Amino acid sequence: VGVFATAGVKSNAMRAGFDSGDFWEPGTINLIILTNRALTPAAMTRIMITATEAKTAALEDLDIRSSYTGLAATGTGTDNIIVAEGSGSPAALAGGHAKLGDLIAKAVYRAVTEAIGKQNGIAKNRNIAARLEERKINLETLLKKSDMVRTSGQKLLLAQNFEALLQDSYYAGFLASALAVSDAEARGLTSGPEAFRDWCLLISGRIAGSPVKACEDIVRSQEIQPALRLALNALLTGLARREGIVLEHSQNEEILTSGS
């Protein structure tokens, strides 16, 4: 078998069953699948399914996000597949249990992964800041909306320190784990972030240099999954303490000060 692929996911990646088909933008995944075997109509149809499953697996493993909602993408709104048969011995089976389906799935997965890398520069090992941006999460924008940080200078300082913090593989790994927990949360695969909350407190205290009893709600956007919002606030709470930034609180809330 052989597979040719073109792939672009920056402008119209979508999650099937969640995003709405309201408009069209350039960017697509096109596959041409070749085999030296003659194919029955059933085999040709099954190849379409096998190839689609492999394409979606590649998108999942690359953590490609919907251009519209930031959810995990399953494809783009304009994907297409062409299957061309050969003249060899006939094949009737092309699902995952058949060798033909196995070879096609592996070839499609590799082709889509490489094409996205060449077209969009997206690789599995890209930095965590890029993965946040793909989820439409911009910390500077979120901090501008925060009423807990008093001045624009303090907000800029937190944003800069946050960016620097993510250069440390320890904290980048923590936030990458938060993304995974957040995705599981969005899919209803976890009952809540309670166990994750304890880890967040440990991370926040490590940054601050002293124990933290609660993570402040510096980022409050309800569009961000609770687990990820908690992780962002854990990092920001630790940074605020470390930098001696006094946070504004509503009435009856304790004011956070450096070393408190």
Side-chain angles (χ1 to χ4, degrees):
V1 304
V3 173
F4 296 93
T6 67
V9 294
K10 283 287 190 180
S11 61
N12 76 335
M14 302 182 73
R15 181 169 181 79
F18 289 80
D19 296 335
S20 59
D22 298 328
F23 45 90
W24 178 90
E25 290 289 343
T28 192
I29 299 173
N30 290 316
L31 299 171
I32 300 175
I33 300 170
L34 312 173
T35 173
N36 64 349
R37 301 285 297 273
L39 300 169
T40 65
M44 278 196 164
T45 301
R46 191 59 180 83
I47 284 173
M48 296 284 192
I49 298 172
T50 299
T52 299
E53 290 175 349
K55 173 200 70 178
T56 300
L59 296 183
E60 181 179 15
D61 288 352
L62 285 170
D63 193 29
I64 302 300
R65 314 305 294 188
S66 165
S67 303
Y68 305 107
T69 59
L71 295 170
T74 55
T76 83
T78 52
D79 292 353
N80 280 291
I81 302 174
I82 293 175
V83 178
E85 67 177 339
S87 56
S89 58
L93 301 175
H97 297 299
K99 179 51 67 176
L100 178 59
D102 172 36
L103 294 174
I104 286 172
K106 289 175 179 174
V108 168
Y109 182 96
R110 178 179 173 185
V112 170
T113 299
E114 291 185 10
I116 290 173
K118 292 177 179 179
Q119 176 66 21
N120 297 134
I122 296 176
K124 292 180 182 180
N125 63 349
R126 63 193 182 280
N127 64 51
I128 195 67
R131 294 177 64 192
L132 286 175
E133 183 179 344
E134 290 159 7
R135 285 167 166 76
K136 305 184 182 301
I137 296 173
N138 182 288
L139 190 67
E140 287 190 29
T141 301
L142 292 172
L143 284 173
K144 284 180 181 178
K145 297 177 180 179
S146 175
D147 57 3
M148 294 192 71
V149 185
R150 290 179 176 178
T151 69
S152 57
Q154 290 176 336
K155 293 178 180 182
L156 179 60
L157 178 62
L158 278 179
Q160 290 174 338
N161 284 349
F162 184 88
E163 184 176 347
L165 194 68
L166 294 187
Q167 301 304 309
D168 186 322
S169 60
Y170 182 88
Y171 297 109
F174 163 71
L175 199 51
S177 298
L179 295 182
V181 174
S182 178
D183 283 346
E185 193 175 52
R187 293 168 179 164
L189 299 176
T190 179
S191 59
E194 293 310 313
F196 185 62
R197 189 183 306 277
D198 292 339
W199 189 17
C200 288
L201 292 175
L202 291 173
I203 291 289
S204 190
R206 179 186 174 111
I207 298 169
S210 61
V212 171
K213 294 182 179 180
C215 296
E216 303 286 350
D217 289 331
I218 299 172
V219 170
R220 297 181 179 178
S221 173
Q222 297 302 304
E223 296 179 0
I224 302 174
Q225 284 293 325
L228 181 54
R229 190 167 66 245
L230 179 61
L232 293 173
N233 282 324
L235 297 176
L236 290 171
T237 297
L239 287 172
R241 283 203 175 198
R242 191 184 74 184
E243 299 301 322
I245 294 176
V246 177
L247 300 176
E248 294 283 357
H249 291 68
S250 60
Q251 192 173 14
N252 296 326
E253 283 187 306
E254 179 184 353
I255 296 179
L256 173 66
T257 58
S258 178
S260 63

